[in-house]
Amino acid sequence: MLIQQQQIQFSPYTSLYDLIVPKDNLLRKINELIDFSFIYDELLNKYCTNNGRTAESPVRMFKYLLLKTIYDVSDVDVVERSRFDMSFKYFLEMTPEESVINPSSLTKFRKLRLKDTDLLNLLIGKTVTIAVEKGIIRSRSIIVDATHTLSRSNPFSAIDVLRERSKLLRKTVYLFDDQFKEHMPKKNDTNELENELTYCKELEQRIGKEESLSSIPAVKEKLNLLKETIEDTQENFTLSKDTDAKIGHKSADSSFFGYKTHLAMTEERIITAAVVTSGEKGDGPELPKLIKMSQENGIDIDTIIGDGAYTGTENLKQASELEIKMVAKLNSTIAQGARKDEDKFDYNKDADRFVCPAGHMATRKSKQGKKNVGTNQVETHYFDVEKCKSCPLKEGCYKEGSKTKTYSVSIKSELHQEQIAFQETDFYKEKAKHRYKIEAKNSELKNVHGYDRATSYGIDSMQMQGAMAIFTVNLKRILKLI
């Protein structure tokens, strides 16, 4: 049960805060800057107002999570520090002698109260509103970029998971019929995933036909687990407890397993929009969302500052329609022209390679034709055909029996002349100098506020972590500028 009217706490020791917590303390300044009652209003419908045990104030619970993000500590540590740190107690609006919560309450709060809440946009919108009201945001430019966050899980290779699941099935079968070894298919002794899949399918069919075994609950359980793993492997070549995380690429030779957060930020270093995706997603396709969200948060945009990943044809076209200047070096590779959406592979600007709709990156590329001579050059990207053979999206993409799978784009020699000319102007060169600011912001999120690795599993948890981290850095920036 949530008390609708929050009670004022009186204590003979409250005056200690004025002696112990200085005026320039960060937490005191945050309390003075922002009215957290918007959290109460947002979460009110998640509580019962007339039944059950009295709940902890949602504002205080949210502040616990904010402290956890500001100081990059665990649930247990943030609660323990709140026992004796007077600045924490002051920030939480506790009396000096008041007891703290049980750390497990923070987990319940995240799972039950913050579930299905668009916390990311709510918190960004609140800080942007404060920055606009304080007259901090004067520019009409947004800087865009994406930063990656590692999953909490370590991925397991598909072949290792298949071998482990098939081993469990065999051991369970032998518990009931150790003579069945003679009827088992020959094990795969290579490191080829295709061969391991073939073996597992044969094993599944062989045991499935033996009703005397497959009807035993223990065997049936392991058999179904192997079936599910085979199906999952045909969709994803990496398996993990974090099913929302995917493999992304930082370069042609290095990859990561996790998520991407696509950011838009003003020249004053206030983040105005954020979109969290799985790691394999490209940067360019998220630009329209970042523009729309920034505008909804009250930002007037006349310039976008970014890298070559954002200079795709559709982005340039939309920017032109909105009369927005694109301060991003034209990348001829991703200026693809018209293609069907389902045929459009994402361009990874870090690796300078295309990524197919299934999330697999090209292994190499080559150019055909002579530069600036006659027809346009064509750049061809080559994909691992072994992955294509077992890909669930291969229909209409991969032709059975083909020895190669390629994706080609024309490198335009005359198209986008207007953008090329704009890149030579003084305005472009001056605005481009601001791009480093978002790299510094990414570094702050990761190195100071723990955004380099996910603290929980799933994209919803990643969005919540992003919301708290971005809210924190925005508040700190506002306090520095006012």
Side-chain angles (χ1 to χ4, degrees):
M1 181 176 70
L2 184 65
I3 300 175
Q4 293 187 355
Q5 182 68 39
Q6 295 298 302
Q7 298 176 346
I8 299 174
Q9 300 289 331
F10 294 100
S11 168
Y13 307 108
T14 303
S15 58
L16 287 172
Y17 288 134
D18 295 330
L19 298 173
I20 297 173
V21 185
K23 297 294 183 183
D24 61 351
N25 177 268
L26 173 63
L27 300 180
R28 180 186 282 273
K29 290 163 75 174
I30 290 176
N31 255 357
E32 293 171 353
L33 173 68
I34 185 169
D35 179 4
F36 285 94
S37 62
F38 75 96
I39 296 294
Y40 182 91
D41 298 335
E42 182 69 22
L43 300 181
L44 183 60
N45 64 346
K46 298 293 182 73
Y47 292 84
C48 179
T49 57
N50 57 13
N51 190 30
R53 187 174 58 183
T54 303
E56 192 71 50
S57 163
V59 173
R60 181 174 294 176
M61 296 299 288
F62 175 81
K63 284 185 172 183
Y64 269 114
L65 295 182
L66 187 56
L67 286 171
K68 174 180 164 66
T69 303
I70 292 173
Y71 296 99
D72 192 18
V73 293
S74 66
D75 288 358
V76 173
D77 289 336
V78 75
V79 172
E80 180 62 26
R81 187 167 168 181
S82 300
R83 294 180 189 276
F84 57 83
D85 191 318
M86 293 295 280
S87 65
F88 275 38
K89 282 182 175 287
Y90 175 82
F91 182 68
L92 294 167
E93 298 181 84
M94 299 168 62
T95 59
E97 71 274 21
E98 194 172 348
S99 60
V100 296
I101 63 170
N102 188 296
S104 63
S105 298
L106 291 176
T107 302
K108 291 288 186 182
F109 181 70
R110 280 191 292 262
K111 289 184 176 180
L112 300 180
R113 310 308 182 192
L114 296 182
K115 184 181 179 182
D116 301 325
T117 301
D118 190 4
L119 195 66
L120 185 62
N121 287 328
L122 174 69
L123 297 184
I124 292 175
K126 185 65 177 180
T127 52
V128 171
T129 299
I130 294 172
V132 171
E133 290 174 352
K134 298 286 185 182
I136 291 172
I137 299 178
R138 298 185 179 89
S139 68
R140 299 181 63 193
S141 304
I142 59 170
I143 311 168
V144 291
D145 195 19
T147 187
H148 71 274
T149 302
L150 299 177
S151 168
R152 186 175 179 179
S153 290
N154 291 319
F156 300 95
S157 68
I159 194 168
D160 289 338
V161 177
L162 284 169
R163 283 174 174 165
E164 182 62 27
R165 299 283 162 84
S166 63
K167 179 182 176 182
L168 284 174
L169 177 58
R170 290 194 306 270
K171 288 178 68 176
T172 307
V173 168
Y174 298 153
L175 289 174
F176 298 95
D177 185 358
D178 59 355
Q179 301 300 316
F180 199 76
K181 291 179 181 180
E182 300 173 2
H183 305 289
M184 288 290 190
K186 184 181 178 182
K187 293 181 185 178
N188 169 42
D189 54 5
T190 71
N191 287 321
E192 296 294 327
L193 178 61
E194 194 71 30
N195 294 340
E196 189 65 31
L197 274 171
T198 301
Y199 165 73
C200 288
K201 289 177 182 178
E202 289 180 11
L203 179 64
E204 173 207 324
Q205 293 169 2
R206 191 75 57 88
I207 297 174
K209 289 178 181 178
E210 293 290 333
E211 290 190 13
S212 60
L213 287 172
S214 60
S215 59
I216 299 172
V219 175
K220 188 176 181 180
E221 180 183 312
K222 301 297 186 297
L223 185 62
N224 289 335
L225 189 61
L226 180 62
K227 286 181 182 178
E228 184 180 287
T229 305
I230 292 171
E231 293 171 1
D232 289 344
T233 303
Q234 290 173 337
E235 293 182 14
N236 303 292
F237 286 87
T238 300
L239 301 178
S240 164
K241 188 175 179 180
D242 193 345
T243 55
D244 290 338
K246 294 290 184 292
I247 290 179
H249 298 273
K250 294 182 282 186
S251 69
D253 301 317
S254 64
S255 61
F256 68 94
F257 181 73
Y259 301 91
K260 270 188 177 181
T261 303
H262 306 264
L263 300 172
M265 184 184 78
T266 66
E267 291 182 15
E268 294 82 11
R269 308 193 192 199
I270 301 295
I271 295 174
T272 60
V275 177
V276 178
T277 66
S278 50
E280 89 285 7
K281 298 295 184 183
D283 298 358
E286 304 303 324
L287 181 61
K289 296 178 189 176
L290 294 175
I291 294 173
K292 182 180 179 182
M293 292 163 67
S294 295
Q295 291 174 332
E296 289 175 349
N297 285 331
I299 303 299
D300 293 325
I301 304 171
D302 66 6
T303 306
I304 295 170
I305 305 169
D307 55 34
Y310 299 96
T311 57
T313 301
E314 290 301 318
N315 286 342
L316 291 174
K317 182 179 178 182
Q318 183 185 27
S320 178
E321 291 172 352
L322 296 175
E323 297 183 351
I324 296 175
K325 298 181 181 67
M326 182 69 78
V327 180
K329 189 174 181 180
L330 183 67
N331 191 312
S332 56
T333 303
I334 62 169
Q336 299 175 42
R339 283 184 181 269
K340 294 180 181 179
D341 286 342
E342 61 268 23
D343 290 340
K344 190 180 292 183
F345 288 25
D346 277 338
Y347 175 71
N348 185 300
K349 57 82 166 58
D350 296 317
D352 192 25
R353 305 278 175 85
F354 274 93
V355 179
C356 77
H360 306 303
M361 190 173 70
T363 56
R364 64 186 181 91
K365 63 176 183 174
S366 65
K367 291 182 181 178
Q368 300 170 354
K370 293 184 179 180
K371 187 176 180 181
N372 298 325
V373 177
T375 58
N376 296 324
Q377 281 185 294
V378 173
E379 185 169 273
T380 301
H381 293 249
Y382 296 83
F383 291 83
D384 186 346
V385 73
E386 293 301 320
K387 293 180 178 179
C388 297
K389 289 177 181 178
S390 58
C391 179
L393 305 179
K394 67 180 179 180
E395 186 176 347
C397 180
Y398 170 74
K399 186 177 179 180
E400 289 292 345
S402 296
K403 295 182 178 180
T404 60
K405 169 59 188 174
T406 61
Y407 182 80
S408 300
V409 290
S410 295
I411 302 176
K412 307 299 181 183
S413 56
E414 298 179 1
L415 194 61
H416 307 297
Q417 292 302 318
E418 185 177 336
Q419 179 69 13
I420 293 172
F422 175 57
Q423 290 175 190
E424 301 302 320
T425 63
D426 292 338
F427 177 85
Y428 177 96
K429 294 175 182 177
E430 183 61 33
K431 285 291 183 182
K433 294 178 182 178
H434 292 277
R435 190 182 172 278
Y436 79 93
K437 294 177 179 178
I438 200 163
E439 299 289 355
K441 186 64 66 176
N442 290 340
S443 178
E444 180 185 1
L445 285 167
K446 290 182 176 183
N447 297 326
V448 181
H449 300 293
Y451 206 57
D452 56 332
R453 183 175 288 274
T455 57
S456 190
Y457 301 103
I459 199 164
D460 290 339
S461 296
M462 191 69 241
Q463 289 173 336
M464 192 183 304
Q465 183 179 347
M468 300 305 297
I470 293 169
F471 186 64
T472 298
V473 296
N474 272 1
L475 286 178
K476 289 169 63 179
R477 184 63 182 168
I478 290 170
L479 289 171
K480 187 172 183 178
L481 296 178
I482 58 176

